[in-house]
Amino acid sequence: MDLGIKGKKAFVSASSKGLGLGCARALAEAGVDLVMNARGSDALEAAAADIRSEFGVNVETIACDVTTDAGQQAVLKAADGVDILVTNAGGPPPGMWHDWEREDFIKALDANMLTPITLMKALLPGMMDRGWGRVVNITSQSVKAPLAVLGLSNAARAGLTGYVAGTSRQVAGKGVTINNLLPGIHATDRAKSLDGGVSEKQGITVEEAKTARCATIPAGRYGTADEFGAACAFLCSQHAGFIVGQNILLDGGGVNATL
Ligand code: NAP
């Protein structure tokens, strides 16, 4: 399918690896020029070089922490005028509800709620002026079904979801859509780290932790970054202009709910 976005420009934050990289690659495959970002420059430069040579699009890289003021200023300078924004950042650490102090919540809110909001506030006006734009926020299945050990994620991402629910309906009339993609477990470094935590806590191997987790997923496996990226690229396509303010689960059926 021709996504109809060849020649457009996207900023994908936190995109040297994992789900962000999956989104960047799928957009590049559709002919979209990119601004990519991550803290570590080695993996970022390697990912950008692969994309340039595989898909022939322009890729600019900004190595910085997108959750900081300085990082946001740097990426926004490069992302000025983009048609597509995909927001992403690392997820908060696991723990239990009684573990976290104010500082932990502030950090999670900064990364997984206020950073995407800052990026949207900066880039939505240009998209609205030009009469076309797409925003996809990478959140989590924890928005629909809380994960006990990820209370910081449950809380911060719920805040972002509320902001998007209201904002998406205020910008849709200008040809700009905002939607959230909610990953269940996907085979990335984040999944390895979560499985490592389970292995340590339960005294089982990482492979056993992964097998046990797979048994809770109707699809019987972890998702891939390529599948996730393809869904993101579709939401950024010309065909998705009537999809507004939605929270779309990509979880292999893991969340057991009718709606
Ligand atoms: P990942 O494989 O660990 O990749 C994270 C990417 O983000 C890397 O490129 C990393 O590069 C970059 N990054 C992290 N923090 C950053 C920051 N502060 N500023 C700029 N770049 C940053 O993670 P993932 O699995 O793709 O997950 C992406 C998001 O989806 C996370 O918020 C995660 O919690 C959420 N999620 C993932 C899953 C899953 O199963 N994978 C499920 C639900 C939700 P650097 O380290 O070099 O910065």
Side-chain angles (χ1 to χ4, degrees), residues 16-160:
S16 67
K17 296 178 188 169
L19 304 181
L21 177 57
C23 295
R25 288 180 56 81
L27 288 169
E29 190 174 6
V32 174
D33 293 324
L34 296 174
V35 177
M36 293 175 66
N37 150 260
R39 291 164 303 183
S41 63
D42 289 355
L44 180 62
E45 292 309 330
D50 283 351
I51 288 177
R52 286 186 200 106
S53 81
E54 207 169 326
F55 304 113
V57 296
N58 296 319
V59 183
E60 192 176 343
T61 54
I62 308 290
C64 66
D65 183 341
V66 75
T67 69
T68 63
D69 282 348
Q72 286 160 11
Q73 279 173 31
V75 294
L76 284 172
K77 202 166 157 210
D80 188 37
V82 294
D83 310 288
I84 295 168
L85 166 66
V86 180
T87 76
N88 184 34
M96 286 310 288
W97 60 271
H98 41 73
D99 290 345
W100 301 301
E101 303 299 338
R102 185 170 192 281
E103 273 313 296
D104 302 308
F105 282 101
I106 297 296
K107 219 170 157 190
L109 290 171
D110 266 340
N112 301 118
M113 176 184 171
L114 298 175
T115 294
I117 288 175
T118 299
L119 298 177
M120 281 187 271
K121 279 177 62 187
L123 296 174
L124 283 171
M127 294 180 191
M128 292 165 77
D129 286 348
R130 293 185 295 276
W132 197 93
R134 297 283 185 265
V135 179
V136 173
N137 299 293
I138 300 179
T139 66
S140 172
Q141 72 175 40
S142 69
V143 169
K144 293 245 185 195
L147 297 163
V149 295
L150 289 175
L152 291 173
S153 172
N154 300 339
R157 298 189 201 273
L160 173 62

